[in-house]
Amino acid sequence: RVAMFATIGYIVPEYYKFPGYLSTSAGLKFVDVPNGLKALSVMPTAGISQFFAFIGFIELSYNKSYGEPGNYGKGLFGLGSLGLSATVSDPKSRDKKLRAEISNGRLAMMAIIGMFFQDGLTGSAWGDWALYTASPLRAFENELGIQKPTGFWDPLGFAKDGDAANFKRRRVTEIKHGRVAMLAAM
């Protein structure tokens, strides 16, 4: 659930920012706060402390577990907190909704980590990789097998030394392994 909110919180400021001041004492307007990780550098310390205090209150005081993981007795979408009956009583429907929430939560965890990574690497969660020329991933951009949209993919950094002979040996091995895997799949 936290990752789902974090993902939405990363996306929404790209399209909308509240009017007015975030901090009147610091003279900081919402529109002056950059998106993504850079926001932490301009946020007042008291504001960051308020986030942690609020989250701590929700986690430690307000949300009380009702036995099963993730059930805080608030009903569907937390509407029980507003006094609205929002329980899902049908066991099959409840199971389906819980499975969907778990799947969406897993997707959101991957999404927010990807946004953090790209933001840290390029300066924006929506960064243009073409502008990031210092990347070691650019070493073999024109070689066989480089495909859009990923370009050169070397997550373990085997090719960062730039040795062309080693790269070609690994490429031949990769092609052989790919062919064996395709045959095994048939």
Side-chain angles (χ1 to χ4, degrees):
R1 291 176 184 157
V2 171
M4 287 187 249
F5 281 121
T7 302
I8 292 298
Y10 231 78
I11 295 170
V12 170
E14 292 286 331
Y15 301 101
Y16 176 79
K17 292 195 180 194
F18 289 109
Y21 285 89
L22 173 67
S23 171
T24 53
S25 61
L28 182 63
K29 293 183 177 182
F30 284 102
V31 295
D32 297 333
V33 177
N35 296 337
L37 298 174
K38 287 184 226 153
L40 295 173
S41 66
V42 299
M43 292 269 305
T45 305
I48 294 173
S49 301
Q50 288 173 352
F51 281 131
F52 283 106
F54 178 72
I55 292 167
F57 166 75
I58 295 294
E59 289 296 320
L60 300 174
S61 299
Y62 184 69
N63 282 340
K64 299 294 182 188
S65 180
Y66 270 62
E68 61 187 359
N71 183 1
Y72 300 110
K74 309 288 190 276
L76 185 64
F77 302 122
L79 294 174
S81 300
L82 303 173
L84 302 172
S85 177
T87 59
V88 180
S89 55
D90 178 38
K92 286 186 179 180
S93 177
R94 179 177 172 76
D95 183 60
K96 182 180 177 183
K97 289 179 187 299
L98 288 173
R99 289 179 188 275
E101 182 181 20
I102 289 169
S103 295
N104 290 334
R106 289 174 179 160
L107 178 61
M109 286 185 267
M110 296 301 292
I112 195 63
I113 289 301
M115 289 180 203
F116 284 159
F117 179 79
Q118 183 157 338
D119 191 354
L121 197 60
T122 67
S124 170
W126 326 111
D128 183 359
W129 282 98
L131 300 176
Y132 186 64
T133 57
S135 173
L137 303 177
R138 301 245 178 251
F140 301 103
E141 277 296 308
N142 297 321
E143 293 292 330
L144 172 70
I146 306 304
Q147 298 178 14
K148 291 187 177 191
T150 58
F152 181 67
W153 191 69
D154 182 24
L156 298 178
F158 288 130
K160 67 182 173 186
D161 62 359
D163 186 336
N166 278 337
F167 175 78
K168 288 183 183 194
R169 182 186 56 79
R170 284 190 207 97
R171 181 50 49 99
V172 169
T173 305
E174 177 185 18
I175 291 170
K176 287 179 184 177
H177 289 171
R179 289 175 180 164
V180 170
M182 287 187 279
L183 288 171
M186 292 191 295

